[in-house]
Amino acid sequence: MIQDNEWSKVSVMPGHVLSRCATRNDGDMSVTTWFVTGASRGFGRELTGQLLARGHRVAATLRRPEQLNDLAGRHQDRLWVRALDVTDTGQMRRVVAEAFTDLGRVDVVVSNAGFGVFGAAEDLTDAQVEAMIATNLTASIQLARAVVPYLRGQGGGRLLQLSSMGGHIAFPAFSMYHATKWGIEGFYESLAVEVEPFGIRTMLVEPGMIRSTFYEAATRVPVSPPYRGTPADRTPVPLEQMPGDQAKVVATMIDAALAPDPPRRLLLGSDAYRLVHDALVARLAGVEAQRDDASSTDVDGWSQP
């Protein structure tokens, strides 16, 4: 693990050098290095900006690096930028390797890239289904697989995955998004236990409805005639009716990631707390109601070891 007196001086972009910075290993990480996917807009852009403003250094990845030219102009010594299409696993592995090689150490990896498609499941195209899974689920899994060996090799780190309250609950006309979030929640539930012995802590970030560019960037598929007037025929919620503040969400993410004992799940937004809480209470009640039926299917004479 890196100690207070260990420093790194590494190249960022051609012609630029990162300033020396220390990373503490006792939870009080005053200056840290972050790797962020999907840094072009929304949470990724906000996260990159807030981290740089706090004095941290950021390895920001996105499809079009020129979208961060304004930040690069102000924070050249602490911003490392690379083009990355997260659905290209080979490219992702190369960029991850380059980041850890150039920066010497990455303290926090944030898997943020993703998008939404609104529409009844039947109305989505095959291409939309495949793209959602490739970007929101498969790419998130492959990023975790790519960075874990480096985090393990350096003695630990933090791995944050952007999930959603939609990883616990589901709304009509958003089925594929929920499929990817429920899927990544299950992956991280297992991964967390696998990697904690190596000093790697994971966190699923689960926001509610946040006023961000996510909704304006989402694809909306018109409902076909059979679904008109059904629950799938939903009117979009206006941004001004959403409770979540993007800047506050990101600030809380940063604080939680740098806490000595970060939570495995981080619910953000009063709506997220209320809806997830109510869903889990109802689900538990349903489980309790099935106790006798569940036990009735055991082999005769079986008892808990």
Side-chain angles (χ1 to χ4, degrees):
M1 305 288 277
I2 286 184
Q3 303 300 324
D4 292 344
N5 61 350
E6 292 179 314
W7 301 81
S8 60
K9 184 178 182 182
V10 294
S11 62
V12 188
M13 292 180 282
H16 300 306
V17 175
L18 281 177
S19 58
R20 291 173 177 255
C21 61
T23 302
R24 294 192 56 178
N25 180 34
D26 57 3
D28 179 20
M29 297 187 285
S30 56
V31 179
T32 55
T33 301
W34 295 56
F35 182 98
V36 180
T37 66
S40 61
R41 59 180 173 81
F43 288 163
R45 168 74 185 216
E46 181 73 28
L47 178 61
T48 299
Q50 286 199 29
L51 288 168
L52 292 169
R54 292 191 187 198
H56 299 285
R57 59 181 186 172
V58 182
T61 66
L62 62 169
R63 288 175 182 263
R64 299 193 301 277
E66 67 273 12
Q67 292 177 288
L68 293 184
N69 282 351
D70 59 324
L71 291 179
R74 296 197 301 270
H75 304 281
Q76 292 179 357
D77 61 332
R78 289 183 288 107
L79 180 61
W80 184 99
V81 181
R82 291 295 184 275
L84 175 60
D85 174 356
V86 295
T87 65
D88 184 337
T89 301
Q91 184 190 32
M92 185 189 306
R93 289 175 178 157
R94 291 190 295 272
V95 170
V96 165
E98 188 179 358
F100 277 88
T101 298
D102 286 356
L103 305 177
R105 177 184 176 90
V106 174
D107 301 288
V108 185
V109 175
V110 183
S111 177
N112 167 72
F115 69 99
V117 175
F118 291 89
E122 183 182 351
D123 291 340
L124 304 182
T125 67
D126 290 346
Q128 287 170 330
V129 169
E130 292 164 4
M132 284 283 288
I133 293 173
T135 302
N136 290 14
L137 180 58
T138 303
S140 295
I141 292 170
Q142 295 291 29
L143 176 63
R145 283 165 31 84
V147 301
V148 160
Y150 294 96
L151 296 176
R152 185 179 68 247
Q154 70 185 18
R158 306 284 162 85
L159 178 52
L160 275 61
Q161 172 64 52
L162 262 293
S163 181
S164 166
M165 68 176 180
H168 292 278
I169 60 176
F171 299 103
F174 212 30
S175 58
M176 284 312 305
Y177 182 82
H178 291 303
T180 62
K181 294 308 180 185
W182 283 60
I184 202 61
E185 292 257 344
F187 174 78
Y188 265 80
E189 188 76 8
S190 177
L191 179 71
V193 180
E194 295 175 3
V195 300
E196 279 188 0
F198 308 115
I200 303 170
R201 301 292 296 272
T202 70
M203 182 192 302
L204 286 157
V205 181
E206 300 169 332
M209 298 191 75
I210 311 300
R211 300 182 187 186
S212 75
T213 57
F214 172 85
Y215 297 97
E216 66 184 41
T219 300
R220 298 186 183 276
V221 179
V223 294
S224 57
Y227 289 96
R228 290 173 187 166
T230 72
D233 191 2
R234 299 173 56 205
T235 301
V237 177
L239 280 182
E240 59 270 19
Q241 293 182 16
M242 298 181 184
D245 183 305
Q246 178 174 271
K248 291 180 178 180
V249 164
V250 168
T252 302
M253 282 174 53
I254 295 171
D255 292 341
L258 298 180
D261 186 23
R264 281 196 188 171
R265 285 183 166 83
L266 183 67
L267 277 173
L268 297 170
S270 58
D271 58 335
Y273 175 83
R274 174 177 53 83
L275 292 171
V276 171
H277 177 275
D278 291 352
L280 293 179
V281 168
R283 198 169 300 147
L284 182 58
V287 170
E288 289 294 335
Q290 297 179 52
R291 178 183 295 181
D292 292 342
D293 284 344
S295 299
S296 71
T297 63
D298 291 345
V299 173
D300 291 344
W302 185 87
S303 61
Q304 182 71 38

